[in-house]
Amino acid sequence: MQYLVVYAIVLAFVWVLYVRRQRRLQAAHAQQLQQSLEAGLAEPPSLHPVIDPLRCLGSGSCVKACPESAIGLVGGKAVLVNAASCIGHGACFAACPVDAIKLVFGTETRGIDIPNVTPDFESNVPGLFIAGELGGMGLIRKAAQQGRQAIEAIRKRSRAMHDYDVVIVGCGPAGLSAGLSAIEHKLRYKLIEQEDSLGGAVFHYPRHKVAMTAPVKLALVGTVRFGEVHKEKLLEFWQGVVGKTGLKIAFRECMQGIDRAGDGFVVRTDRHSYRTRSVLLALGRRGTPRKLEVPGEESPKVVYRLIDPRQYDGQAVLVVGGGDSALEAAVALAAQPGTQVTLSYRGAAFSRVKQQNRLALEQAQHGGRLRVELESTVEAIDSDAVRLRTQAGKTTLRNDAVIVCAGGQLPTPLLQQIGIEFDTKYGTA
Ligand SMILES: Cc1cc2nc3c(=O)[nH]c(=O)nc-3n(C[C@H](O)[C@H](O)[C@H](O)COP(=O)(O)OP(=O)(O)OC[C@H]3O[C@@H](n4cnc5c(N)ncnc54)[C@H](O)[C@@H]3O)c2cc1C
Ligand code: SF4
């Protein structure tokens, strides 16, 4: 009897602890959801889960399975509490014990354009192929697999009198894998990448982010089994593969248009034109950095992302933009010794940013390390200065570097011009 009482007390104690912990977690998740809504970050970027509240038992398996902390429990049901960070791996979908989750593209209010492609990844324009995240499937493994499979299809097409068998645009996981496959099949290929680094979206993950990726087969390399891997290690591995295989990548070359020419295409970049039989678009969905289009922008001191804040120690830096990446860059730079930072934004307030970034910005401003110019625009960039139009009128600031974080231009209009057809998905699979 005594044992039973002790057992019941221990059980009740554990139960109380469990209930308390669940309450705390759910309160934190509800707060997270509220913050996402307030910051206007409640829209998932692409593929994401939709949870049927009638089926959901609140088991929390999806919450545990989600490596991005995108999903939480609110009121005993699973909810996408941090939608902007959902990358669509579907780990939540696989973990749900009662099939309460389905994965969909777009939302009722925000449609997502997904190009129509055949199972061989050919678009409705014969000879023009699409692989990776641009086609809707956002995962490293899927992108790499599709890049390889698209080349398998391309190599079966007749090879005509063109300079290249295939021009591959983009060197993220899809383009890289396609390039290796092109070497394996002895295709005459050209691989172009608008940035000066390979890896695509992976290169831009936060520092030391752990990427999760299932085994993937790469041509010339074999099956790569990483599981969980730091982004730096993954990029190092890919660089090693490029070194060993001799894959040639034309960096800092941006595709600007594609014209049909006979039974092939001419791919126009900001540097050259290439005549090719087939084209593989592996562009991802981040787009091409939006430019300011002001005199002096071509200067090498103007960049479109912050790589290492330490390289700006002691300099006068202008950051342009009003989103999370602009605020994060400005705050990181302001923490460097002797760096003077001005953040210029054409809007009247930072309305669509994470609360934590807004607070960090305010702290840096109060600390006198950062000056914010709202409702301002850049008029010109000179070698040692920048000219701004602000609320108070025109002003010139001493300047050593400009970092433009003005978002990306999606490739959809360009692809529509070429004739590629899209389906707009509003919360459907
Ligand atoms: C924060 C974050 C975390 C993620 N974590 C994971 C994870 O843990 N596991 C996972 O499997 N997936 C993850 N993903 C998703 C994964 O990174 C992407 O699905 C994958 O990188 C898509 O590969 P891709 O080659 O199709 O496109 P991208 O990686 O986007 O590469 C496209 C490339 O094309 C280039 N390009 C675009 N336009 C042009 C042009 N006009 N001319 C020349 N080049 C151009 C771009 O510069 C880029 O290098 C994550 C994504 C994000 C944003
Ligand atoms: S799809 Fe992936 S990132 Fe999105 S909620 Fe599910 S597990 Fe998390």
Side-chain angles (χ1 to χ4, degrees):
M1 185 65 185
Q2 243 177 357
Y3 288 122
L4 270 181
V5 173
V6 173
Y7 183 68
I9 290 173
V10 171
L11 207 65
F13 182 66
V14 171
W15 177 248
V16 169
L17 283 184
Y18 172 78
V19 170
R20 270 204 195 160
R21 186 165 177 275
Q22 284 304 312
R23 278 206 192 128
R24 260 203 319 268
L25 274 178
Q26 294 205 27
H29 291 157
Q31 195 186 10
Q32 214 176 355
L33 178 62
Q34 188 57 31
Q35 284 177 359
S36 302
L37 292 169
E38 282 167 8
L41 296 171
E43 293 284 355
S46 184
L47 191 67
H48 63 279
V50 169
I51 300 124
D52 179 348
L54 298 177
R55 282 193 171 196
C56 177
L57 300 175
S59 70
S61 331
C62 54
V63 181
K64 283 194 206 103
C66 176
E68 310 301 323
S69 306
I71 208 163
L73 282 180
V74 178
K77 304 282 178 187
V79 178
L80 205 51
V81 289
N82 192 0
S85 63
C86 171
I87 53 162
H89 349 69
C92 51
F93 167 77
C96 179
V98 291
D99 293 338
I101 294 182
K102 63 178 179 170
L103 295 173
V104 301
F105 289 108
T107 63
E108 271 176 32
T109 49
R110 198 177 66 116
I112 290 207
D113 294 326
I114 306 287
N116 293 326
V117 292
T118 66
D120 276 346
F121 306 101
E122 189 167 16
S123 71
N124 62 297
V125 178
L128 221 156
F129 292 71
I130 290 175
E133 194 155 344
L134 179 64
M137 201 39 85
L139 282 182
I140 297 167
R141 176 179 68 91
K142 286 272 178 199
Q145 182 180 323
Q146 293 186 357
R148 185 172 51 78
Q149 288 169 341
I151 292 291
E152 296 284 344
I154 287 171
R155 82 185 177 103
K156 293 184 192 140
R157 304 186 82 227
S158 66
R159 302 195 196 172
M161 295 302 292
H162 297 285
D163 298 337
Y164 294 97
D165 297 319
V166 60
V167 170
I168 303 162
V169 189
C171 194
L176 185 75
S177 161
L180 295 174
S181 200
I183 300 182
E184 184 175 66
H185 296 302
K186 302 195 171 35
L187 298 186
R188 292 166 304 153
Y189 73 94
K190 184 84 199 177
L191 171 51
I192 63 172
E193 166 55 54
Q194 65 185 5
E195 298 192 342
D196 50 11
S197 49
L198 59 79
V202 179
F203 187 88
H204 292 271
Y205 291 173
R207 226 149 48 106
H208 303 314
K209 180 190 182 301
V210 175
M212 311 237 320
T213 174
V216 55
K217 188 172 157 203
L218 293 178
L220 306 178
V221 176
T223 302
V224 183
R225 295 172 204 281
F226 266 125
E228 291 187 9
V229 55
H230 280 112
K231 86 163 219 202
E232 287 78 6
K233 197 124 195 124
L234 190 56
L235 292 172
E236 201 180 295
F237 169 76
W238 284 338
Q239 269 147 7
V241 166
V242 170
K244 275 190 209 131
T245 58
L247 179 69
K248 296 212 164 34
I249 308 164
F251 286 111
R252 286 175 166 266
E253 192 163 344
C254 181
M255 183 274 287
Q256 296 190 323
I258 301 175
D259 304 311
R260 292 188 213 213
D263 61 354
F265 302 90
V266 173
V267 176
R268 284 179 283 112
T269 73
D270 49 359
R271 297 206 202 160
H272 302 284
S273 288
Y274 303 104
R275 295 184 73 85
T276 175
R277 172 77 167 123
S278 307
V279 179
L280 174 57
L281 297 175
L283 309 177
R285 284 187 166 264
R286 286 182 321 113
T288 300
R290 191 166 280 121
K291 299 210 164 173
L292 299 176
E293 310 291 352
V294 296
E297 192 170 7
E298 62 292 345
S299 157
K301 75 172 182 174
V302 182
V303 296
Y304 297 87
R305 63 172 188 233
L306 174 66
I307 296 178
D308 185 354
R310 286 171 302 187
Q311 79 188 82
Y312 298 99
D313 280 6
Q315 298 193 13
V317 186
L318 176 74
V319 178
V320 186
D324 279 311
S325 52
L327 267 62
E328 280 163 17
V331 169
L333 286 164
Q336 296 309 304
T339 305
Q340 291 168 29
V341 187
T342 305
L343 174 61
S344 161
Y345 179 43
R346 63 182 176 185
F350 299 109
S351 50
R352 287 174 60 89
V353 295
K354 290 184 193 136
Q355 177 73 354
Q356 73 210 52
N357 286 335
R358 205 192 308 266
L359 292 175
L361 184 79
E362 279 165 15
Q363 271 173 13
Q365 254 181 295
H366 289 144
R369 290 171 285 135
L370 176 61
R371 161 177 171 181
V372 174
E373 288 285 358
L374 289 172
E375 293 185 80
S376 69
T377 48
V378 180
E379 293 209 313
I381 299 167
D382 303 324
S383 57
D384 55 358
V386 283
R387 281 176 270 156
L388 299 187
R389 177 183 287 278
T390 67
Q391 288 159 292
K394 293 188 178 203
T395 180
T396 301
L397 304 176
R398 185 173 80 73
N399 177 266
D400 302 304
V402 178
I403 300 174
V404 183
C405 304
Q409 275 169 313
L410 284 177
T412 319
L414 192 146
L415 304 185
Q416 276 164 338
Q417 267 172 23
I418 307 165
I420 295 177
E421 287 167 4
F422 288 81
D423 261 355
T424 307
K425 309 268 188 186
Y426 291 95
T428 46

